[in-house]
């Protein structure tokens, strides 16, 4: 399963140093339908992500407050791509596990 979308990076209110992007609802619904809800990991799903010229492996997590999965964008990626909270970025995502 793959997705290609644009989203704004936002600053977490709970985890002060963390930045995320929210997956579009249609992609989050596809992931939720394909994932076994009984598996461990708080509902996390392993993904491969490309943002600009940077590709990395991480997980997306369900966020009940936002009603979708969220993707963490770590500092190394933000620095390499020159982006931060408030910037809209192009994301390519592939579910790997």
């Amino acid at each position: 399963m793959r997705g290609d979308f644009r989203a704004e990076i936002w600053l977490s209110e709970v985890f002060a140093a963390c930045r995320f992007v929210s997956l579009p609802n249609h992609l989050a619904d596809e992931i939720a339908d394909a994932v076994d809800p009984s598996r461990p990991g708080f509902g996390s799903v392993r993904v491969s992500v490309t943002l600009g010229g940077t590709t990395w492996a991480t997980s997306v997590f369900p966020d009940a407050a936002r009603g979708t999965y969220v993707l963490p964008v770590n500092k190394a990626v933000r620095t390499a791509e020159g982006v931060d909270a408030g910037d809209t970025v192009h994301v390519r995502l592939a579910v790997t596990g």
Side-chain angles (χ1 to χ4, degrees), residues 25-52:
N25 289 334
H26 71 277
L27 182 55
D29 290 345
E30 287 180 32
I31 292 170
D33 288 345
V35 174
D36 177 1
S38 67
R39 53 186 268 190
F42 306 103
S44 65
V45 177
R46 299 288 302 158
V47 295
S48 174
V49 181
T50 301
L51 189 157

Side-chain angles (χ1 to χ4, degrees), residues 33-89:
D33 288 345
V35 174
D36 177 1
S38 67
R39 53 186 268 190
F42 306 103
S44 65
V45 177
R46 299 288 302 158
V47 295
S48 174
V49 181
T50 301
L51 189 157
T54 305
T55 300
W56 75 103
T58 188
S59 295
V60 292
F61 302 88
D63 182 336
R66 291 182 180 265
T68 189
Y69 282 85
V70 296
L71 166 71
V73 182
N74 66 38
K75 185 175 181 178
V77 172
R78 296 191 317 268
T79 300
E81 297 302 323
V83 296
D84 207 347
D87 293 331
T88 299
V89 294

